[in-house]
Amino acid sequence: MSISIGIAKKDREQIGEHLSKLLADTYSLYLKTHSFHWNITGPHFNSLHSMFETQYNELWLAADEVAERIRTLDVFAPGSYSQFGKLTSIKEEVGVPDWKDMVSQLVEGHELAAHTARQTIKVADGVGDEGTADMVTGRLKEHEKTAWMLRSLLK
């Protein structure tokens, strides 16, 4: 059965490409945040361990929301590490940095995801996809807020 939601196939595919980048950023940031949660040490262990857990849980749910929006547009969502690695703007961390570097990397990651979200909103708005623009606006606000909260730890 063909999809008829008022957005042309080529436009849905273009939005799907941008959402796939946002999904890759979200999942990569989830993985990094979860790793930092497991490996945090130092004087701020308890507060950062708890904060990172809250953040990775939020990112986990967000990844599902973004992937389901991609599928709503009748586009297949990426779902492998290799696909995410090609699409994400988040730098992978293979070591265990100190707590300040962990926080700095997460600030940078959320800011990069905010950039990806803004670009996605522009594309969605340009073709009249209010559903995607609304969902991604929520994601944008969450990334900006999380970046602010993390950045505040470094002052």
Side-chain angles (χ1 to χ4, degrees), residues 107-126:
V107 168
E108 178 184 9
H110 282 281
E111 289 175 345
L112 289 167
H115 285 279
T116 301
R118 280 187 200 291
Q119 199 57 36
T120 304
I121 292 166
K122 287 178 186 175
V123 171
D125 280 342

Side-chain angles (χ1 to χ4, degrees), residues 17-57:
E17 288 176 22
H18 285 271
L19 284 170
S20 292
K21 291 176 184 175
L22 183 60
L23 177 58
D25 283 355
T26 302
Y27 198 88
S28 298
L29 199 48
Y30 156 79
L31 188 60
K32 181 180 275 197
T33 306
H34 208 154
S35 173
F36 290 173
H37 164 80
W38 291 328
N39 294 302
I40 186 73
T41 59
H44 305 288
F45 169 81
N46 195 46
S47 60
L48 289 176
H49 183 75
S50 295
M51 178 185 258
F52 292 165
E53 182 174 12
T54 299
Q55 291 171 359
Y56 77 69
N57 282 324

